[in-house]
Amino acid sequence: MMLEVRDLSVFYGDAQALDGVSLSIAAGEIVAIIGANGAGKTSLIHTLGGVLAPRSGSIRFEGQEIAGQPSHRVCNLGIGQVAEARQIFPSLSVLENLEVGAMLPRARSSAKRTLEHVFEMFPRLRERSSQSAGTLSGGEQQMLAIGRCLMGAPRLVMFDEPSLGLAPAIVTEVLRIIERLNRDDGITVLLVEQNVAASLRLAHRAYVLENGSVVLEGPGMELLGNPRVREAYLGL
Ligand code: ATP
């Protein structure tokens, strides 16, 4: 397994956000996490990414224990994150935003090649490379956030609500990009996506989080047909 999470518990002060979460992701997989608001999805991503320290439990990435390690170290091992709010730097140019992503030691030597790859994938970013990032449309900013993450040469990318607030056509495009990154570039994906049906269709496997615990897991297509999932998350 590329990522093995065992019995992870996370608190904000006295409030428990994750309670004994265990999950695994094999290299090459797309794994989706679904759950209602407040279920703990973002807390999970933040803990895996080193933004939050767990109170207990283990996170092994490619055999190495990373629980509680700071995010710069986790990133440099090859875990990238595309955050919920598309945290780009609006006053920096598109190119400068991408260069920030390549500042990780692991990414520096391949930065030129990766930049060319990102520009091939997102021609709009090349066209607008000297423009300040704040002038991009919402969809373009999301592409930039993905591009910046790729500049760090990740092996596992965690997407937190990548289509939040985007127009439907762009949501489809974002999901297509995730599929392509997985299929063509061999990037392993952890996906939290409000669009539950689409994310289960895309994912090889998925976990359902409720109140900080995993209550169901299985192949994406199987969960898509699960009555409990259909009722709670698909409104069917
Ligand atoms: P959403 O889809 O709304 O982002 P989520 O599944 O990502 O939900 P989390 O944001 O991880 O859920 O929240 C899990 C629990 O932790 C919730 O009960 C939430 O209220 C609580 N929580 C989240 N962030 C904080 C914080 N900074 N301080 C205190 N409690 C928090």
Side-chain angles (χ1 to χ4, degrees):
M1 285 292 165
M2 176 180 258
L3 187 81
E4 284 269 5
V5 176
R6 287 285 157 256
D7 228 1
L8 201 63
S9 291
V10 172
F11 289 75
Y12 298 95
D14 289 335
Q16 187 157 16
L18 295 179
D19 183 5
V21 168
S22 295
L23 56 86
S24 57
I25 306 179
E29 272 192 312
I30 299 177
V31 170
I33 307 286
I34 65 174
N37 285 348
K41 305 177 300 294
T42 298
S43 300
L44 175 63
I45 286 191
H46 283 171
T47 308
L48 300 180
V51 178
L52 276 175
R55 183 167 297 179
S56 59
S58 137
I59 306 168
R60 293 182 80 80
F61 179 66
E62 298 189 321
Q64 198 172 333
E65 181 61 48
I66 59 163
Q69 298 265 325
S71 62
H72 66 89
R73 202 166 298 162
V74 172
C75 285
N76 199 46
L77 288 173
I79 302 183
Q81 215 181 115
V82 178
E84 202 167 7
R86 309 197 266 286
Q87 290 156 351
I88 56 159
F89 300 106
S91 61
L92 296 185
S93 72
V94 168
L95 180 61
E96 286 164 341
N97 267 277
L98 293 172
E99 285 167 348
V100 168
M103 278 172 11
L104 289 173
R106 72 178 270 112
R108 278 181 203 143
S109 64
S110 55
K112 251 190 149 156
R113 213 170 349 113
T114 313
L115 181 64
E116 192 47 41
H117 186 55
V118 167
F119 279 157
E120 273 164 27
M121 194 174 301
F122 305 113
R124 293 288 279 226
L125 296 184
R126 191 198 303 270
E127 284 163 28
R128 302 187 172 205
S129 61
S130 59
Q131 235 173 275
S132 59
T135 65
L136 299 179
S137 70
E140 289 164 350
Q141 290 188 15
Q142 184 56 285
M143 305 307 165
L144 179 57
I146 296 172
R148 189 178 62 185
C149 175
L150 296 178
M151 290 299 290
R155 308 209 336 104
L156 167 67
V157 175
M158 304 189 291
F159 290 90
D160 192 356
E161 306 271 16
S163 71
L164 196 70
L166 298 178
I170 298 165
V171 173
T172 310
E173 195 181 337
V174 167
L175 294 173
R176 209 176 290 138
I177 286 160
I178 292 172
E179 186 174 27
R180 181 174 156 198
L181 288 174
N182 175 256
R183 190 192 54 217
D184 298 347
D185 298 348
I187 290 178
T188 305
V189 172
L190 179 65
L191 174 64
V192 169
E193 168 57 48
Q194 52 176 0
N195 195 329
V196 171
S199 84
L200 289 179
R201 258 183 238 116
L202 186 62
H204 301 110
R205 289 187 308 114
Y207 292 85
V208 180
L209 265 187
E210 280 178 13
N211 296 319
S213 297
V214 173
V215 295
L216 267 179
E217 62 177 279
M221 291 309 278
E222 193 179 299
L223 290 187
L224 198 56
N226 179 296
R228 181 164 167 191
V229 171
R230 293 175 74 81
E231 191 187 331
Y233 304 104
L234 302 171
L236 297 171

